[in-house]
Amino acid sequence: MYAYAANNPVRYIDPDGRLHGLPTAIEKILDNHQKLNELRVIARDIKSSGVAGKQSIHFYPQKLRRDGCFARASIIANYLNGKGYEVNYAYANHPKDPGSDGRFKYHIAACVKINEENFVVDPMYNCEGYKTGLSKFDDWKSFQDPLDDWLGLPVSQIIPGYDENGNVIENFHIRGFYKNNENALLSVPEYAEKLLEHYEKTFDDELKQGDLNYNGF
């Protein structure tokens, strides 16, 4: 009965019948548009709630200086991968701290690919500010203003996060922070959440930093 709208009249319309059967190309455009809208809502929810799925990312603006973007990125990436998105990581080498004249060694965030475009889900630093926490990769990279001069680290780029079967592809930074974990029962995102929790508990208001040397117990 609703073949004219691909059997989904709530989502698709074809009032004059000229798109009978809804050509695959048009359906793909609509699907990608919906995926992007859903991703925008997810990014906004993560930014406003500080939670990705059921795991806290311990997002506190006053404690962002050294609280582990690598850990936060792994939690968000794992959540997005579970939602069925094609997930990688956005990486910036020696980027500027948007809140000062200082710079970080690097910054990393979860990145989703939709229709050959990369969108960064970053509750920390992104050109969308407090709107959604979602940016196109090129806009995100430009906002970071990376120098790409830190030797021994890759230049700013998209780093693979998961293979086609949904298995984790360990990158340099995620592997670097997870190596301190001595608790075999903790997955990377579980350890990341506990590491951020430990950082929060040990945060020194005078030093403006906490302890990132956490063993998982």
Side-chain angles (χ1 to χ4, degrees):
M1 181 176 178
Y2 294 109
Y4 69 93
N7 293 316
N8 192 341
V10 174
R11 183 174 172 189
Y12 305 128
I13 62 173
D14 181 21
D16 57 12
R18 287 186 291 182
L19 295 179
H20 179 70
L22 201 65
T24 302
I26 296 176
E27 185 172 3
K28 185 176 181 179
I29 291 173
L30 293 172
D31 283 340
N32 288 332
H33 183 69
Q34 183 181 21
K35 286 181 181 178
L36 182 55
N37 284 337
E38 290 173 348
L39 182 63
R40 186 171 286 110
V41 171
I42 289 172
R44 184 172 59 242
D45 287 346
I46 291 174
K47 188 172 183 66
S48 63
S49 69
V51 176
K54 296 182 179 180
Q55 289 189 286
S56 173
I57 58 172
H58 297 273
F59 178 65
Y60 301 96
Q62 72 274 23
K63 298 180 181 179
L64 290 181
R65 186 65 186 175
R66 293 183 58 194
D67 65 345
C69 60
F70 41 76
R72 181 172 292 108
S74 72
I75 293 173
I76 295 174
N78 181 69
Y79 173 59
L80 294 172
N81 179 61
K83 299 284 285 186
Y85 288 101
E86 182 179 344
V87 182
N88 295 300
Y89 289 96
Y91 168 79
N93 179 312
H94 206 181
K96 185 180 183 300
D97 174 4
S100 73
D101 293 329
R103 287 184 175 273
F104 297 106
K105 187 175 182 179
Y106 70 88
H107 182 46
I108 190 169
C111 187
V112 170
K113 191 173 185 179
I114 298 177
N115 194 30
E116 302 306 315
E117 279 196 289
N118 292 291
F119 297 89
V120 184
V121 179
D122 185 359
M124 289 176 63
Y125 299 130
N126 61 82
C127 54
E128 284 275 324
Y130 284 93
K131 292 181 182 178
T132 64
L134 184 71
S135 318
K136 287 186 177 181
F137 172 71
D138 289 341
D139 293 335
W140 179 87
K141 179 181 173 182
S142 177
F143 183 74
Q144 305 295 320
D145 186 28
L147 295 181
D148 283 329
D149 64 344
W150 204 284
L151 299 179
L153 295 179
V155 297
S156 302
Q157 59 182 280
I158 302 289
I159 300 176
Y162 296 80
D163 63 22
E164 58 185 10
N165 296 317
N167 299 313
V168 176
I169 299 175
E170 291 189 349
N171 66 65
F172 176 83
H173 301 287
I174 303 302
R175 187 167 60 245
F177 91 82
Y178 187 68
K179 70 181 181 182
N180 294 323
N181 180 34
E182 299 174 7
N183 188 343
L185 298 178
L186 294 179
S187 65
V188 170
E190 289 170 338
Y191 170 71
E193 182 180 10
K194 287 184 174 294
L195 181 150
L196 292 175
E197 181 181 7
H198 174 74
Y199 179 91
E200 179 190 345
K201 289 179 178 178
T202 60
F203 189 82
D204 188 307
D205 290 320
E206 292 185 6
L207 297 176
K208 302 299 181 185
Q209 68 183 58
D211 180 23
L212 286 174
N213 297 312
Y214 177 65
N215 66 2
F217 290 97

